[in-house]
Structure formats: structure tokens, C-alpha cells
Amino acid sequence: MDGRPAIVQSTSPTNDDTFLNLLCDGFGDSVLLGEAIPASCFSDWTGHAACRPLALVSPATTEEVAKLLRLCNDHHRPVVPQGGMTGLAGAAVPSADSIAVSLCRLTGVESVDRDAATMTVRAGTTLQTIQEAATQAGFRYPVDFGARGTCQIGGNIATNAGGHGVIRHGMTRDQVLGLEVVLADGRTIDLMNGMLKNNTGYDLKHCFIGSEGTLGIVTRAVLRLAPPQGESHTLLCGLPSYPAAVALLHRLRSAGLALEAFEVMWQDFYTMSCGWRDGQLPLPTSYPLYLLCEAEGDASHLEAALEAALETGEVEDAVLASSTTQARGLWAIREATGEFPVKLAPINFDISLPIPAIGDFVETAGKMLQQRWPGVRIVNFGHIGDSNLHLTVDGRSLTEDTPATRHAIESAVYQWVGKYRGSISAEHGIGLLKRDFLHHSVRPEALNVMHTLKQALDPHGILNPGKVLN
């Protein structure tokens, strides 16, 4: 025995037909069955373990979510919450006996408090809708990433999504002041705090942010808004080494600039991305590293910092965007990741490491992978300013791209992450894909506490079973 509290699983759930009759009687047209369930609900962006659920239910109110969970809990039916299905860890993948719960109808911006700089939203609202509403109100919602038009804020909260802007504004967790959450037994807890200061005991909302729907279903949220972005500058630099990148990070911060992004691309990534594009290269492909930086502040401060970095050799060459169009062109190089599923057979790693150790990890992990799988192709990039490295192995370069080989590669990389005291997930979550490797980042005592919390809030184990925890 490992000391974990046991999750009680039903051994005799209600007959499928009987339960589905109860479901349809209670939720009518909100229920889809069999062939009527769209394939988009079978898996997330990974395509992992695609499966049609027993039923898909789309509640339109918190009360309907609570009613549904009471029914499923009473009959010991597994429930899989689903948002925009843009996840990258398999957290929203259903099982054949599960009830998938789509929050696509639970949408809308309820209110904006301009005095407090907050916004109250329903969980199914897309990130882009929230960003546009914030802009219209004279603010901005600073969390951003490529799936903005599809992903939903409930999913962002459930996975504690990161993306661009984390270096300055933090993760989704840092934007959430309050939540409304429905527990496994249908109880609704109102944590809809709208104040920055509220020091009243346990801050329960943090139990649900990043829990990937295993402890409760988020239905509403109060979000912090940021002031509109001021004068912003986009810079691409060629660097001689990883230590030079860290030195430049310190230099730019010391120059009185607010860094919105600090994206480092290793030569392998930059060369590959530029090779996918026609036209003139902004910088030659000969530098070991490339930095894409977006900073807010006085242009003269940035220019002075860049001049000093060129003099000391921290920067060997640079391009400062002179227009929005040119800035977008520089960002297009970094955003080549959107083409990975089409042009590669990617084995993606989203890891966090201590900033000083990232360069050494890239070199060490690369050598290890090349020794074990000769000729393997690896590309590296990351949000280095917030400790996040993305390492991608191209399965097409393997002699055999099999599930067993992929698992062996994942095991090898995550073992090294553990040795560096890093995190196996920086921003994508655990879900199904990383569950078996969680012990490399979370110590046994902490894992036991996580199991204890799961048992307390979901004793029948109906909420997203098999995700995050075994």
C-alpha cells in the first residue's frame, strides 16, 4: 500500500439504457447520443485515444450543470468536462462509458467593473471574446495564445493556461479573482470574489485552477483586467550562446522596459521555421540562438540596451521591427509551431527548468537522445523568461515511430527533467499524456495530499477519472 486514500468506484452502475432515459428525460435536446455526437468531442488537439462518449450533454446554466452532476454522481457515471477541445495533454478525452459535458452553451460576458478592472464571465466564453470585450471597455485581458478563437475560459482555468505574456502578467491563475464551481455531488460553491484583497482563510479557488476538471466544473469566473498596452517594440536578435540570452534578459529588465515576451529559438528551430517560408530571412541562419523579444516602454531605452549588448557581444546581429507588418513577420517565425502537426510527427515536451540550467539541459538532453536514437531530429524553443522550454522530437526521423518508442523517449526526457528539479508540464497540464510521469516533478508526500483532496471532493471518482492522477 502507498498510503493513498481509495477512490470508491461503482461496481454496478445503472444500466446504460435506463440511465440514458433518465438523462434524456432530464435534459431533453441538450443530450446527444450515438452518431449524433460530433467527432470534435472525441479527442483534443493531440488526437490521443479518440473515443465516442456514451452521451454528450450541453447545459446552458449553472443549475443545469449541478442537476447533471447530481444525476451522474447518484448513478456513479463518469463525467468528462469539455471546453474548446484545444488541450495538448488529453484532459478532455472521453471514455466510452462517460458523459461528456460541453460548456459551449454556457457563454457570455456578464459584466465589466471598470472601477475594479474586473470582468465576470461564463465558463464557455472564448478567450478571444473576453479579449475583445476587455479592449472595448478600455482594458485588456493579458493571457494570450494561438487557440484564442476556439479555447474557452473554463478550460483555460481548468488547465491554468499560459502562453504569451506570462513573463509580465503570469499564468491564468494570476488573472482569476473568483470562481463559481459545481462539485461532483451537484453542490455549487460561490467563490465569486471581485476584490484584490480578500484574506479570509483557505483560498479555495486555487484547488480548482489547474485541476483539469478532476475536482469540480468551473461555471463562472471573475477575471482581472490589465491596462491597455502602451508603446510596444518587437526585436529579433542573433545570439552567440545561451548565457548571452540570460544576460540580455537581465539587461532589458534593467533598462526600465516591461517585457511582454522573451522567446528564445535555438538554431535548429529557427532554420526549420525559416525553411518553411518564402522570402528574405530577417537574420542569417548561422547563429546558435535567436531571441524574439516584445517590450513596452521608451524606444530610446530599448535602443540603448541593444547598442550596449552589441558592444559586449551578447548580441551579434539584430532587427528591430519598424512596423506592425514587420513585427508580425518576425512573430510568424516563432509561431511555426502551429505547423508541427502537419509537417512533423511531433513528440512534444512542455517543461519548466531553472532559467540558468535551460541551456545545459538542451545540450545534455540532445546528446542523450542522439546516443539512444541516432539521427533523431530535435528542435528547441521556449518562453525562457518564465522558465519554459519546448523540446520537440520529430517522429519521422526515428527508425521506428511506435507507441513503445515514443513512451521510451518520454520516459528518458522526463527522467532528466526530474534530475534538474524541473516540471514535466509548464503550461499544458497533465491530463492523460503526462499522468504516468507526474512523480518526476511531484514528491510522494504531495501526491498523497492530491489523492486526499480528490477523495474528499469526489468520493465516487466520477469527475474526469484517470486524468492527472492514477
Side-chain angles (χ1 to χ4, degrees):
M1 297 294 290
D2 61 7
R4 299 175 184 173
I7 300 295
V8 179
Q9 298 285 1
S10 172
T11 56
S12 56
T14 309
N15 173 274
D16 283 355
D17 291 340
T18 301
F19 178 78
L20 291 177
N21 286 336
L22 291 172
L23 196 64
C24 292
D25 288 344
F27 297 92
D29 293 341
S30 298
V31 180
L32 295 179
L33 304 174
E35 297 292 334
I37 301 174
S40 58
C41 296
F42 295 0
S43 188
D44 60 10
W45 275 9
T46 65
H48 178 75
C51 179
R52 178 187 287 115
L54 182 65
L56 173 68
V57 185
S58 303
T61 66
T62 298
E63 292 73 23
E64 288 184 358
V65 175
K67 177 182 175 183
L68 175 62
L69 288 190
R70 279 194 298 272
L71 178 65
C72 291
N73 193 59
D74 288 345
H75 294 272
H76 296 191
R77 284 288 171 173
V79 172
V80 179
Q82 296 187 337
M85 303 302 286
T86 60
L88 294 169
V93 176
S95 57
D97 64 341
S98 68
I99 308 304
V101 182
S102 171
L103 299 180
C104 64
R105 297 176 63 211
L106 195 63
T107 61
V109 175
E110 293 185 353
S111 64
V112 176
D113 185 335
R114 289 178 170 82
D115 296 330
T118 65
M119 178 186 293
T120 301
V121 300
R122 297 185 182 95
T125 310
T126 66
L127 175 58
Q128 183 171 323
T129 297
I130 290 169
Q131 291 173 333
E132 291 171 351
T135 300
Q136 187 175 4
F139 299 93
R140 66 172 166 146
Y141 182 69
V143 173
D144 186 38
F145 37 87
R148 65 186 70 85
T150 305
C151 67
Q152 299 173 8
I153 192 64
N156 295 172
I157 293 168
T159 57
N160 187 29
H164 307 313
V166 169
I167 187 173
R168 181 177 182 185
H169 302 282
M171 303 279 281
T172 295
R173 181 183 302 278
D174 301 292
Q175 321 308 322
V176 178
L177 287 177
L179 290 179
E180 178 183 77
V181 182
V182 181
L183 301 181
D185 60 6
R187 285 179 294 163
T188 300
I189 53 174
D190 183 351
L191 307 171
M192 292 289 283
N193 168 65
M195 299 167 290
L196 187 59
K197 283 189 172 181
N198 181 10
N199 196 10
T200 51
Y202 305 144
D203 195 348
L204 294 179
K205 70 175 181 288
H206 289 295
C207 292
F208 304 98
I209 302 171
S211 68
E212 302 184 40
T214 61
L215 301 179
I217 297 181
V218 173
T219 51
R220 295 166 70 225
V222 180
L223 305 174
R224 298 178 64 180
L225 302 178
Q229 189 168 346
E231 184 182 12
S232 183
H233 315 281
T234 303
L235 173 70
L236 178 68
C237 300
L239 309 177
S241 65
Y242 181 78
V246 177
L248 185 57
L249 174 63
H250 294 314
R251 183 182 295 280
L252 293 174
R253 281 175 164 163
S254 300
L257 298 163
L259 297 182
E260 289 282 340
F262 193 87
E263 307 283 312
V264 172
M265 299 169 282
W266 273 255
Q267 186 180 41
D268 46 39
F269 180 96
Y270 181 82
T271 301
M272 179 189 68
S273 178
C274 290
W276 291 349
R277 285 161 177 76
D278 298 327
Q280 186 174 0
L281 299 177
L283 290 176
T285 59
S286 55
Y287 301 111
L289 274 84
Y290 296 80
L291 165 69
L292 181 63
C293 172
E294 187 169 318
E296 180 181 337
D298 193 315
S300 63
H301 292 174
L302 177 60
E303 291 167 0
L306 178 58
E307 183 177 349
L310 285 163
E311 290 176 356
T312 60
E314 292 166 11
V315 173
E316 295 188 335
D317 200 355
V319 173
L320 182 60
S322 58
S323 66
T324 301
T325 300
Q326 190 174 14
R328 288 174 180 166
L330 297 180
W331 268 105
I333 299 171
R334 160 63 182 81
E335 292 173 350
T337 52
E339 301 177 58
F340 278 16
V342 177
K343 296 187 176 180
L344 305 176
I347 307 170
N348 293 316
F349 295 90
D350 157 50
I351 56 183
S352 278
L353 298 153
I355 290 176
I358 292 177
D360 182 68
F361 180 89
V362 168
E363 183 176 348
T364 301
K367 289 180 179 177
M368 177 272 294
L369 290 169
Q370 289 289 351
Q371 287 172 355
R372 293 189 58 179
W373 293 276
V376 67
R377 185 185 190 189
I378 308 164
V379 291
N380 298 275
F381 69 98
H383 323 288
I384 299 306
D386 49 49
S387 301
N388 188 183
L389 173 69
H390 293 281
L391 181 156
T392 297
V393 173
D394 184 3
R396 299 180 312 174
S397 63
L398 298 169
T399 303
E400 289 185 297
D401 184 9
T402 65
T405 302
R406 287 178 170 246
H407 189 272
I409 290 172
E410 290 168 347
S411 297
V413 171
Y414 289 136
Q415 284 176 8
W416 277 103
V417 172
K419 291 177 182 178
Y420 278 76
R421 295 300 297 265
S423 168
I424 66 167
S425 177
E427 58 182 353
H428 294 165
I430 301 300
L432 284 172
L433 296 183
K434 303 177 188 178
R435 181 192 62 192
D436 295 341
F437 306 107
L438 190 58
H439 63 279
H440 290 303
S441 295
V442 182
R443 301 297 176 256
E445 298 80 8
L447 279 172
N448 282 337
V449 172
M450 291 168 70
H451 279 276
T452 299
L453 184 59
K454 173 69 171 174
Q455 163 66 20
L457 294 180
D458 183 19
H460 293 308
I462 70 162
L463 284 175
N464 226 0
K467 313 298 172 53
V468 182
L469 298 173
N470 279 312

